[in-house]
Amino acid sequence: MKRPLLMIPGPVEFESDVLAAMATPAHSHVSAEFIEVFGQALEDLRTVFAAPDGTPFVIPGSGTCAMELAVANLVEPGDRAVLTETGYFSWRMRDLLERHGAVVDMVHAPAGSAPSVEAVEAALRKGAKLLAVTHVDTSTGVLAPLAEYAAAAHRHGALVLADGVCSVGGQELRMQDWGVDVVLTGSQKALAVPAGLALVMARPAALQAFHARRAPVGSYYADWGLWLPVMEAYLERKAAYFGTPAVNNVFALGTSLRQILAEGMEARWQRHARLSRAFKAGAAALGLEQIPAEAYQAVTLTTLYYPQGKDASGLKAVTEAGVTLAGGLYPDLKARYFRVGHMGTARIGDLLTTLAAIEAAYDLPRGAGVAAAQQAW
Amino acid sequence: MKRPLLMIPGPVEFESDVLAAMATPAHSHVSAEFIEVFGQALEDLRTVFAAPDGTPFVIPGSGTCAMELAVANLVEPGDRAVLTETGYFSWRMRDLLERHGAVVDMVHAPAGSAPSVEAVEAALRKGAKLLAVTHVDTSTGVLAPLAEYAAAAHRHGALVLADGVCSVGGQELRMQDWGVDVVLTGSQKALAVPAGLALVMARPAALQAFHARRAPVGSYYADWGLWLPVMEAYLERKAAYFGTPAVNNVFALGTSLRQILAEGMEARWQRHARLSRAFKAGAAALGLEQIPAEAYQAVTLTTLYYPQGKDASGLKAVTEAGVTLAGGLYPDLKARYFRVGHMGTARIGDLLTTLAAIEAAYDLPRGAGVAAAQQAW
Amino acid sequence: MKRPLLMIPGPVEFESDVLAAMATPAHSHVSAEFIEVFGQALEDLRTVFAAPDGTPFVIPGSGTCAMELAVANLVEPGDRAVLTETGYFSWRMRDLLERHGAVVDMVHAPAGSAPSVEAVEAALRKGAKLLAVTHVDTSTGVLAPLAEYAAAAHRHGALVLADGVCSVGGQELRMQDWGVDVVLTGSQKALAVPAGLALVMARPAALQAFHARRAPVGSYYADWGLWLPVMEAYLERKAAYFGTPAVNNVFALGTSLRQILAEGMEARWQRHARLSRAFKAGAAALGLEQIPAEAYQAVTLTTLYYPQGKDASGLKAVTEAGVTLAGGLYPDLKARYFRVGHMGTARIGDLLTTLAAIEAAYDLPRGAGVAAAQQAW
Amino acid sequence: MKRPLLMIPGPVEFESDVLAAMATPAHSHVSAEFIEVFGQALEDLRTVFAAPDGTPFVIPGSGTCAMELAVANLVEPGDRAVLTETGYFSWRMRDLLERHGAVVDMVHAPAGSAPSVEAVEAALRKGAKLLAVTHVDTSTGVLAPLAEYAAAAHRHGALVLADGVCSVGGQELRMQDWGVDVVLTGSQKALAVPAGLALVMARPAALQAFHARRAPVGSYYADWGLWLPVMEAYLERKAAYFGTPAVNNVFALGTSLRQILAEGMEARWQRHARLSRAFKAGAAALGLEQIPAEAYQAVTLTTLYYPQGKDASGLKAVTEAGVTLAGGLYPDLKARYFRVGHMGTARIGDLLTTLAAIEAAYDLPRGAGVAAAQQAW
């Protein structure tokens, strides 16, 4: 039978209540029911991003749309931006920064690691409006030391923008405590909502920088000026219109956020950390090596080299066993590794199921991975 | 997060397509769509019961309703029935047989086993209209040697009625090949459909016995005479009315049967056997003992004594870990064992998840059960 | 496009929340969530049946199952029962009474009417344990004067049993005030829940009669003695087991009952009365005649003769227009009339849609029916 | 009871199958199932847009996102664009054109009408890269003579871009026959899919203009260059990645498109025309006046002045009657009119229901509107 298990780094498995909310019959975007759900979701996001003073934006779009919704409003032509390299999505960020006119100073690091805080600070010392960081890079599984970077940025007067697509809702992230000014994400990862919503949280310094800009925002759809009155209205439980919200996706977001807050952010971060420890222990017991060095391992996904002499063709047997994993994405290593997401609604049983499918598909010692994961749980 | 896992011996986890069919908008029970789905489902049941010459009955009701739908039509006051004892549901069968006037000769067996074929044959030798057998007893996990019993019954001219509530769709059962005349089941077990449908398959000798009866059937709702024209009509893709069918439940049944036949009965029985072997290996590695002796172990569920010095209170921790198991049901042993269902849509990952939850809740060697199950898979 | 409209006298159109509840993922019938929902539903039914002192029974089954669940427990072989004739379902009731041993005195009435209270009282005067009444007959649309009948029955010491399949939740019915002892119904009519649940409400005198019986109940599945401990347990929010409840159907029942009580019974009865008045006015404006005389017209459905020279073949065009109606069911008139249900979730718009489809299909004055219905609304 | 009816000009009522597709369990965006559904949807869009030679783009976003996805790729700084004024969304188009650097020559027209073809041609004669037209303006209900405009544009070498948000799938639109180069829409209107997808169809001349551009596209997310390889891959039933598609919304789109093509575009356009005629006849019978003059009335919605002496407060009673309508949107007239959408899945019954609610809420002659609509149907 099917009952398949999706263990890629997004989309993730969804709760049945969240899926049911996707099928809510047609509602006007200015109906009382929708206003309440959307308003509450925007409020709840402040808790999820740990940004009590933040202004949330939720618009129909992908994670890339969220990147533009963050970058386009902060960057003006000629602005200097420091960017840390941690994988494929750092290069995507570079494209976005440059598209909107930034002069980018990219601080490089070898695959599987992040630049040192010192190297980043050295770049910031040269002057920058903005430091851009991929908090967790979905391509490599690298976790950047965002809190330390942010502290360095503030020492040099730069705003801090983090791509939290693969972190928000799973990897510990404390926007206000750490001094991160803007964080963006998509719905389909640790927020556990089907893809289709672009989310940005902007704290006061970011909004100030926006209001102080002289150049118009290059993208109309991503222009905070057009969405701000809408978000403020729904926060006050009033309707407002700029573009039609993705009503059903927002109902699903509202449902998932209520579940997330019922779990609590500290508990949620700890669950993700514990799941990650268990899965990585299982993988280690099977002799599978990770891309990131230990200091840079994210808790929301694990990236693993194929066993000696094996390649992506083995993933087919994993899929046939009912578990879907993701191939490599980082250009230089693409063919040599695969990715396992364990975020959002993931449970220990999902990890055991996944390890069992890997053991069978790659002819690894049966039971060794699942036993190690269970011991480390 | 929730995404809970239900591992009791029914209801079981359902495929998302089956659940979606439960939410089909209102249809008339005489609409073209419903007639086609119901007719096809009735046909498909012949394959599932391995009874090409069978007449299927599907009516709104529980498994107990299905028992009455089988018993009430075959038994007339004063008829002699031989009944094999394998657990709680043998006693339920006794109640039903007696309610409808049978004189019951119950062939006893100690808990965890079934009567020998010799003992059953000895009882049959005394003359009986009917042999009644609980194929798999949900309370004890005991599998009865139905094929052998049936052969014995036919040597003595008795009809064979089997309670297949915990077997049909999971445990190998070949009605026509084995000479079983009537099998009953409920929807919520190995057929993987929400509870609410009572199903009976009657082969020609059973229908003959029905048509030859002199006493009216004690239950109006369970009277084959009233339902036969309805089932025959839908099989011919025509509408007919006696009682309103449970339209949405039948849509779900139709969806599940299509999935079951796509898997194929032989493959399905083998999957259940393999899952059972894996789970029982995992349990053994944890030192957990089964109720049934090896010769009598069903593949659809496993019944296990609690570890030395432990009891049902540990199941609470299993539930908190997201896995729901069932307590004991057989009166004499009720407090000493628990039950794990692994039928219908069950996958190896569900078993690993379950074993992991048991290891943690009962403080058993972490990883030992999951490793053994994975090795035996 | 489809978005079809089902306007038969059951099943009816369901609220989307009720359908979503049908697709609830697998729950154990002894889970905390299910216990709470089932317990609350049983309580809510007392309000719906207007029977604060009633004992509710909800089991998997059709309306016919509910009839047996009522009749089998009250009737013992040789008991005398008076039965009022109002249509097809009176004859079904006769079958059930006789199956369980009653000697039935059927008080006849011409098609489209109900026996006079005097005639019923005359029959009761001869002595009877029970008066059985079809409150609203789904076949003819005849409403019986239940309150008056009940008063007469109590004058003669007979219990009153009403078939409320086509009335409970739509047609005014006050069990306790009117002195009705047992009312039965199915889920798929004015309760607006998919078919599959048999419901009975039994007041104290009925339970007393049950406890005083000497003969065993003919049907095991319908035996109150086996279900009573289960219903009492769930009412106290405890689990108990006899047969597996139709878990998903009960979730749907719980959702619908909460909606029904939010509307309120008085408001609900009035809405049904108003809808009925509007529809009947629309039909009259089209020259369509009803089966029941004015004094006997139910509010939950309308039964109409086909226009002069027309027959059931016109219903096909109604169906193609997206509206499903029901043909005749009462044997003598079957081919001469059709039935329109307007209960449960029905709205004025559904009636206009239906009348419009009838106008078009039967070539009646376009707009005359819809205008008259709207004026009478 | 609820079963509310949403009759605003988007979102519209959805088919139950489309809603069920929104709740499809998690799928990878590179799974075989998703690739097939997305590829087929892209193909089907060519039929819906009547653009066999078109290249479809479907990305997560609102209708405004679709506007940017069209405009940003065609306009380079300094390009001259002629724009026809027909309502609020013409001004939105102006903002987008200007944001991306166009010099806009807006051809004005009084509220309720569209500029004459002569006036548009006069503006085109001055030279323009692009003619931008709102095919149906959701704010005013004005239908522009797109085919005639397009012919004029081609006489002067200008590309034709049409905002089809309120037309595609309901109002007749033949891209290839009429020579329209780019049409954009959102999912939540006549395509009958929940909001969240931005759709653009680009014909060869538009793609040529894109490939010939010298300036980078101002919006990264809307850049055809980044999405083209993805759309081409899915059309060939291969996976490709740029941004994560809104997987569940695409499943819903696929379901709706199959239904749309089963109806057929000619039949669908005719159904919309017939519905519009019926609704407008009903409104006229109630003395309600439309905003657009007869030559400019769209078939997907109707915009109506409130009755003499009445205002938007009456809409509350309409909502309480279960029908949701939309208030005015066009700045100058906002408080004086309301809007009724009748597109996508709309049926005659929906219009009767709506007219009945209007009659009651605004104390208009009961039955007059519904009768007239029914006669005109």
Side-chain angles (χ1 to χ4, degrees), chain A residues 1-5 13 15 17 259 263 268 271 344-347 349-350 352-353 356 359 366-367 370-371 374-375 377, chain B residues 1-5 13 15 17 259 263 268 271 344-347 349-350 352-353 356 359 366-367 370-371 374-375 377:
Chain A
M1 303 304 286
K2 300 186 301 169
R3 288 182 55 228
L5 182 62
E13 288 289 335
E15 289 286 346
D17 289 356
Q259 294 176 353
E263 182 177 20
R268 192 172 176 91
R271 175 170 57 84
T345 66
R347 306 164 304 176
D350 299 331
L352 301 180
T353 303
E359 289 174 3
R366 296 290 182 95
V370 295
Q374 164 68 351
Q375 281 153 16
W377 172 242
Chain B
M1 302 306 286
K2 301 187 300 172
R3 288 181 56 229
L5 182 62
E13 288 289 335
E15 288 287 344
D17 288 357
Q259 294 175 354
E263 183 177 19
R268 191 172 177 91
R271 174 169 58 81
T345 67
R347 306 164 304 176
D350 299 332
L352 301 180
T353 303
E359 289 175 3
R366 296 290 181 94
V370 295
Q374 165 68 350
Q375 281 154 16
W377 172 242

Side-chain angles (χ1 to χ4, degrees), chain A:
Chain A
M1 303 304 286
K2 300 186 301 169
R3 288 182 55 228
L5 182 62
L6 187 59
M7 295 295 286
I8 65 176
V12 302
E13 288 289 335
F14 307 118
E15 289 286 346
S16 59
D17 289 356
V18 171
L19 287 173
M22 285 292 284
T24 306
H27 274 73
S28 166
H29 45 295
V30 300
S31 67
E33 293 88 347
F34 180 72
I35 290 171
E36 177 54 34
V37 169
F38 196 11
Q40 185 63 51
L42 293 171
E43 272 187 37
D44 287 350
L45 285 171
R46 287 185 176 135
T47 308
V48 171
F49 283 77
D53 61 357
T55 296
F57 295 85
V58 176
I59 75 172
S62 72
T64 297
C65 180
M67 292 177 81
E68 187 148 57
L69 186 61
V71 169
N73 292 282
L74 292 184
V75 169
E76 297 188 64
D79 281 347
R80 225 182 138 262
V82 172
L83 170 65
T84 56
E85 183 194 15
T86 52
Y88 177 91
F89 288 95
S90 309
W91 292 93
R92 161 84 38 116
M93 180 62 83
R94 183 183 181 121
D95 286 348
L96 272 150
L97 290 165
E98 290 181 349
R99 180 67 62 108
H100 290 283
V103 178
V104 178
D105 181 357
M106 196 167 188
V107 188
H108 296 281
S113 68
S116 69
V117 179
E118 294 68 32
V120 173
E121 187 149 16
L124 288 164
R125 206 166 283 135
K126 290 181 250 167
K129 178 177 184 181
L130 186 77
L131 169 66
V133 178
T134 310
H135 188 203
V136 171
D137 197 296
T138 315
S139 71
T140 53
V142 167
L143 167 71
L146 179 57
E148 290 78 359
Y149 287 169
H154 285 294
R155 286 194 291 273
H156 300 282
L159 289 168
V160 180
L161 181 162
D163 171 351
V165 167
C166 204
S167 77
V168 172
Q171 186 83 45
E172 182 184 357
L173 192 165
R174 303 179 189 269
M175 272 189 81
Q176 191 158 333
D177 289 356
W178 294 357
V180 182
D181 300 293
V182 178
V183 173
L184 65 99
T185 193
S187 49
Q188 77 274 17
K189 305 228 170 176
L191 295 181
V193 176
L197 296 176
L199 304 100
V200 164
M201 186 65 69
R203 293 188 46 246
L207 286 172
Q208 272 170 358
F210 168 73
H211 289 304
R213 51 185 299 148
R214 282 147 304 162
V217 175
S219 160
Y220 182 80
Y221 185 60
D223 189 335
W224 286 356
L226 300 164
W227 288 108
L228 256 175
V230 176
M231 300 301 146
E232 283 164 356
Y234 280 96
L235 275 167
E236 293 171 14
R237 305 300 192 273
K238 290 179 195 154
Y241 172 70
F242 167 58
T244 305
V247 172
N248 290 47
N249 300 256
V250 169
F251 277 125
L253 174 68
T255 301
S256 191
L257 288 172
R258 297 274 85 193
Q259 294 176 353
I260 289 172
L261 296 201
E263 182 177 20
M265 292 315 298
E266 301 290 338
R268 192 172 176 91
W269 291 331
Q270 280 167 34
R271 175 170 57 84
H272 279 80
R274 219 178 141 203
L275 284 168
S276 178
R277 192 167 56 239
F279 188 77
K280 287 171 172 66
L286 294 174
L288 297 171
E289 281 176 42
Q290 296 183 55
I291 309 282
E294 202 172 342
Y296 303 109
Q297 294 170 357
V299 303
T300 48
L301 81 164
T302 301
T303 56
L304 297 167
Y305 287 103
Y306 293 113
Q308 197 67 26
K310 300 288 172 66
D311 62 17
S313 59
L315 290 186
K316 234 184 105 176
V318 177
T319 304
E320 275 158 21
V323 181
T324 302
L325 305 181
L329 185 60
Y330 187 71
D332 292 353
L333 302 168
K334 205 167 171 171
R336 295 175 49 204
Y337 78 107
F338 64 103
R339 298 175 297 150
V340 180
H342 32 68
M343 58 187 140
T345 66
R347 306 164 304 176
I348 178 65
D350 299 331
L351 305 187
L352 301 180
T353 303
T354 303
L355 287 163
I358 293 171
E359 289 174 3
Y362 283 101
D363 203 16
L364 298 168
R366 296 290 182 95
V370 295
Q374 164 68 351
Q375 281 153 16
W377 172 242

Side-chain angles (χ1 to χ4, degrees), chain C residues 283-308:
Chain C
L286 294 174
L288 299 171
E289 280 176 43
Q290 296 183 55
I291 309 281
E294 201 172 344
Y296 303 109
Q297 295 171 356
V299 304
T300 49
L301 81 163
T302 300
T303 56
L304 298 167
Y305 286 103
Y306 293 114
Q308 196 68 24

Side-chain angles (χ1 to χ4, degrees), chain D residues 51-229:
Chain D
D53 62 356
T55 296
F57 294 84
V58 176
I59 75 171
S62 71
T64 298
C65 180
M67 292 176 83
E68 186 148 58
L69 185 61
V71 169
N73 292 282
L74 292 182
V75 169
E76 298 188 62
D79 281 347
R80 223 181 139 264
V82 172
L83 170 64
T84 56
E85 182 193 15
T86 51
Y88 177 91
F89 288 96
S90 309
W91 292 92
R92 160 87 35 117
M93 180 62 83
R94 183 183 182 122
D95 287 348
L96 271 150
L97 289 164
E98 290 182 347
R99 180 68 62 109
H100 290 283
V103 177
V104 178
D105 182 357
M106 194 167 190
V107 187
H108 297 281
S113 69
S116 69
V117 178
E118 294 67 33
V120 173
E121 186 147 17
L124 288 163
R125 207 166 282 134
K126 291 181 248 167
K129 179 179 186 180
L130 186 78
L131 169 66
V133 178
T134 310
H135 188 202
V136 170
D137 197 296
T138 315
S139 71
T140 53
V142 167
L143 167 71
L146 178 57
E148 290 77 0
Y149 287 168
H154 286 294
R155 286 194 290 273
H156 300 281
L159 290 168
V160 180
L161 181 162
D163 170 350
V165 167
C166 203
S167 77
V168 173
Q171 186 84 45
E172 182 184 357
L173 193 166
R174 304 179 189 270
M175 272 189 83
Q176 192 158 331
D177 288 356
W178 295 356
V180 183
D181 299 293
V182 178
V183 172
L184 64 98
T185 193
S187 49
Q188 76 273 17
K189 306 228 171 177
L191 295 180
V193 176
L197 295 177
L199 303 100
V200 164
M201 184 65 69
R203 294 189 45 248
L207 287 171
Q208 272 169 359
F210 168 72
H211 289 302
R213 50 185 300 147
R214 283 145 304 162
V217 174
S219 159
Y220 182 80
Y221 185 58
D223 189 335
W224 285 357
L226 300 165
W227 288 108
L228 256 175

Side-chain angles (χ1 to χ4, degrees), chain B residues 49-314:
Chain B
F49 283 76
D53 61 357
T55 295
F57 294 84
V58 176
I59 75 171
S62 72
T64 297
C65 179
M67 292 175 82
E68 186 148 57
L69 186 61
V71 169
N73 292 283
L74 292 184
V75 169
E76 297 189 64
D79 281 346
R80 225 182 137 263
V82 172
L83 170 65
T84 55
E85 182 194 16
T86 51
Y88 176 92
F89 288 96
S90 310
W91 291 93
R92 160 87 35 119
M93 180 61 84
R94 183 184 181 120
D95 286 348
L96 271 150
L97 289 164
E98 290 183 345
R99 180 69 62 112
H100 289 283
V103 178
V104 178
D105 182 356
M106 196 168 188
V107 188
H108 296 280
S113 69
S116 69
V117 178
E118 293 67 32
V120 173
E121 188 149 15
L124 288 163
R125 206 167 285 134
K126 291 180 251 168
K129 179 177 185 182
L130 186 78
L131 169 67
V133 178
T134 310
H135 188 202
V136 170
D137 198 296
T138 315
S139 71
T140 54
V142 167
L143 168 71
L146 178 58
E148 289 78 358
Y149 287 168
H154 286 294
R155 286 193 290 272
H156 300 281
L159 290 167
V160 181
L161 181 162
D163 170 351
V165 168
C166 203
S167 77
V168 173
Q171 187 84 44
E172 183 184 356
L173 191 166
R174 303 178 190 271
M175 273 189 81
Q176 191 158 334
D177 289 356
W178 294 357
V180 182
D181 299 293
V182 178
V183 173
L184 64 99
T185 193
S187 49
Q188 76 274 16
K189 306 227 170 178
L191 295 181
V193 176
L197 296 176
L199 304 99
V200 163
M201 184 66 70
R203 293 187 47 247
L207 286 172
Q208 272 170 358
F210 167 73
H211 288 303
R213 52 184 301 147
R214 283 146 304 162
V217 175
S219 160
Y220 182 80
Y221 186 59
D223 188 335
W224 285 356
L226 300 165
W227 287 109
L228 256 174
V230 176
M231 300 301 146
E232 282 164 358
Y234 281 97
L235 275 166
E236 293 170 16
R237 306 299 192 271
K238 290 178 195 154
Y241 171 71
F242 167 59
T244 305
V247 173
N248 290 47
N249 301 256
V250 169
F251 277 126
L253 174 68
T255 301
S256 191
L257 288 173
R258 297 274 85 193
Q259 294 175 354
I260 289 172
L261 296 202
E263 183 177 19
M265 292 315 296
E266 301 290 336
R268 191 172 177 91
W269 291 330
Q270 281 168 33
R271 174 169 58 81
H272 279 79
R274 218 179 142 203
L275 285 167
S276 178
R277 191 168 56 241
F279 188 77
K280 288 173 170 65
L286 294 174
L288 298 171
E289 281 176 42
Q290 296 182 55
I291 309 281
E294 202 171 343
Y296 302 109
Q297 294 170 359
V299 303
T300 49
L301 81 163
T302 300
T303 55
L304 297 167
Y305 287 103
Y306 293 113
Q308 196 68 26
K310 299 290 172 64
D311 62 19
S313 59

